Amino acid sequence: MSRFAAFFRAVWCLAKPYFLDPQVRLGAWMLLVAIVALNLASVGLSVWFNYWYNDFYNALQEKDFDSFKTLLLYFAGVAAAFIVVAVYKYYLQSLLEVRWRRWLTEHWARDWLEDKRYYHMQMLGLDTDNPDQRIAEDLRLFPAYSLSLTLGLLNAVVSLVSFLGILWTLSGDFAIALGGTEYHIPGYMVWVAIVYAAAGTWLTHLIGRPLVRLNFDKQRVEADFRFHLVRIREHAESIAFQNGETVERAGLERRFAAVFDNFIAIMKRTKLLIWFTSGYGQIAVIFPFVVGAPRYFSGALPLGGLMQTVSAFGQVQEALSYIINAYTEIAEWRAVIERLTGFQRGMEKARALSARSAIAVSREGDRIAVNDLALGLPDGRALLQVNSLALAPGESLLLQGRSGGGKTTLLRALAGLWLFGRGKVMRPADEQSLFLPQKPYLPLGSLRAALAYPHDPARFSEADYRAALEALDLAHLAPRLDEEAYWTQQLSGGEQQRVQLARALLLKPRWLYMDEATSALDEKTEARALEALRTGLPGTAILSIGHRPALRGFHQKSLEIEPGAAKTGIAQLMAAT
């Protein structure tokens, strides 16, 4: 398959789900048909104007004032129609574009978030960088460029077909004598326009071809720079404490240097392209007068005929020069398609990895059970072997052991996040479970929404919120429940962990999984927090990961993960009741 065919196949694969979706396809096709009809009407009005040029300039040449006034009235009426067509063509095209973007954003975001795909793609680096950029920016540009460029191509083809016949008729024969023989070239201005546009298109492609790769890189380096700025904002306190401004500034300068270099490369290449296309366009203004002058000065064409010929030549030349005029947008469109197809490939690989995983996770029953579970790393190395593990309702179990032994990976396997290994895992349904990681996630919005996450805040009463906060010594935050803030920066690490524990008290899960969820607390605060959990969740089964010896007093059982043979990287889960 040629690169040209492969590109349009990729465009169609990205576009067809929207136009074939039963829920939106009727409205989408109706809008598209209306837009196409308006574009055809626009070309039809241009054809009318072409004939109007002939009559108008002939009336001027013959000083026919009555015809002049009539033609001005005709012009006013058709110009009004042209304005209406232009306005609604823009409006309907913009409406289809934003609806298409909304549909793409909803479906791509859903696919990205489905089955923890966003997590697997980030963990494994599957064929994409900056997925936020793909969803926010590329899904905006794809419908915009797809509509403007394909409709522009349609206009070019229809205009070419409409005006070729006119130009052929007006051109007449062109006689040229060679070697004593006179040759006649019928419709010579058509051939001149074709040769002129073909040469211009070929040269434009040679000059502008590097813009495809440069525009592909542009989004990546811009996103990398923006992501570094966001990281500094998110970790402002850590950077400030460690006086990391010099390092961060160096990182920003390095990433902006890539932005700058890419911009300069695009600017230089675009400058060359503008040199050529501007010269090409300026020559095209006078070119039809030059090639039409012999027939005009010979008397074969009146002034109106010359102006109609110039107008028709301009339309044919512009239609044939479509690629020249739209080359920069075409280059950006190709870059958008490549980025989106890469993102799509990444999601498909993540889906395939999930389907091939040999770790069977069952979310049924009323207990945690692990049988013959062998966890590995993405590169194939073994990490942890769990022959048998069970936890009944209301029980509590503490996992301890050396860092890097696979404790968190075991928790990931229980959550269904880990794809590498084999074995069987059974645990209760997601609706009954709550996982609390070491680094809390507090979503943007109100504190009330952060406490209720991922449920609707209206599900709980005011008293429930205040009781949960008071139990974790966070009563001072109760007046701020409806305040919207960037809570990750507003609260200390210990406060964030206590908000997360308050979430557990609020949601009252039957199964609670904690991965060092109290590591930022001092021992006394940790003891009070764990006691609050034990009192507030008497029937909840708790599976914890932690390093402090004092944690054993708050759990019925503890298990020590001890490193096994260093050569194989296997660790055994040993009981220590």
Side-chain angles (χ1 to χ4, degrees), residues 491-558:
L491 304 177
S492 69
E495 285 178 317
Q496 291 178 47
Q497 286 195 337
R498 282 187 285 154
V499 166
Q500 185 174 239
L501 295 172
R503 181 186 299 160
L505 290 178
L506 185 68
L507 303 185
K508 291 182 169 48
R510 293 196 62 207
W511 299 83
L512 181 62
Y513 307 81
M514 299 194 298
D515 184 5
E516 300 191 51
T518 59
S519 60
L521 306 180
D522 62 85
E523 291 185 3
K524 289 184 178 180
T525 305
E526 182 182 51
R528 289 198 301 272
L530 292 173
E531 184 61 35
L533 287 181
R534 187 157 55 186
T535 303
L537 304 173
T540 297
I542 299 176
L543 178 61
S544 300
I545 293 174
H547 291 285
R548 293 174 181 169
L551 289 171
R552 295 193 179 196
F554 295 93
H555 297 81
Q556 297 169 351
K557 297 188 295 184
S558 65

Side-chain angles (χ1 to χ4, degrees), residues 5 15 134 181 193 201 301 343 347-348 371 448 476 479 507 523 553 561 565:
R134 304 288 169 267
T181 304
T201 301
L301 273 180
F343 186 33
M347 289 197 289
E348 290 170 356
N371 296 301
R448 189 185 303 273
H476 62 282
L507 303 185
E523 291 185 3
I561 294 182

Side-chain angles (χ1 to χ4, degrees), residues 441-467:
Y441 174 63
L442 304 181
L444 297 175
S446 69
L447 182 59
R448 189 185 303 273
L451 285 165
Y453 184 83
H455 299 287
D456 183 354
R459 178 176 175 177
F460 308 99
S461 69
E462 186 75 14
D464 291 334
Y465 285 104
R466 292 183 178 274

Side-chain angles (χ1 to χ4, degrees), residues 8-159:
F8 279 100
R9 180 182 176 83
V11 172
W12 174 238
C13 286
L14 292 172
K16 70 178 179 181
Y18 174 66
F19 288 95
L20 298 181
D21 186 339
Q23 295 183 341
V24 298
R25 65 186 178 189
L26 179 61
W29 282 106
M30 288 178 64
L31 277 174
L32 185 60
V33 169
I35 295 165
V36 169
L38 289 171
N39 275 270
L40 296 178
S42 178
V43 174
L45 291 171
S46 297
V47 172
W48 185 91
F49 274 123
N50 181 263
Y51 284 103
W52 179 85
Y53 276 123
N54 185 17
D55 296 336
F56 184 73
Y57 281 99
N58 282 338
L60 287 177
Q61 185 179 27
E62 296 168 6
K63 297 181 173 57
D64 186 347
F65 185 65
D66 290 335
S67 296
F68 175 79
K69 291 188 295 182
T70 302
L71 287 168
L72 284 180
L73 290 174
Y74 285 163
F75 175 84
V78 178
F82 195 91
I83 292 170
V84 171
V85 168
V87 168
Y88 279 96
K89 184 171 67 171
Y90 162 78
Y91 175 77
L92 295 180
Q93 185 170 323
S94 298
L95 183 61
L96 177 56
E97 178 185 323
V98 74
R99 286 184 176 181
W100 191 359
R101 181 190 177 188
R102 179 180 62 186
W103 187 94
L104 286 169
T105 302
E106 290 174 353
H107 283 71
W108 281 59
R110 182 194 63 199
D111 289 347
W112 181 53
L113 293 172
E114 196 173 53
D115 294 333
K116 319 295 184 185
R117 206 162 290 140
Y118 62 97
Y119 173 79
H120 297 141
M121 290 176 67
Q122 177 175 307
M123 181 177 66
L124 299 172
L126 293 175
D127 272 351
T128 187
D129 57 83
N130 303 299
D132 53 306
Q133 186 83 359
R134 304 288 169 267
I135 293 173
E137 185 68 9
D138 290 331
L139 290 182
R140 177 185 69 83
L141 295 174
F142 172 65
Y145 282 137
S146 297
L147 286 173
S148 64
L149 291 173
T150 52
L151 290 171
L153 179 62
L154 173 67
N155 272 11
V157 171
V158 175
S159 295

Side-chain angles (χ1 to χ4, degrees), residues 181-195:
T181 304
E182 189 174 70
Y183 297 93
H184 292 268
I185 304 175
Y188 75 99
M189 292 188 72
V190 171
W191 303 112
V192 170
I194 291 174
V195 172

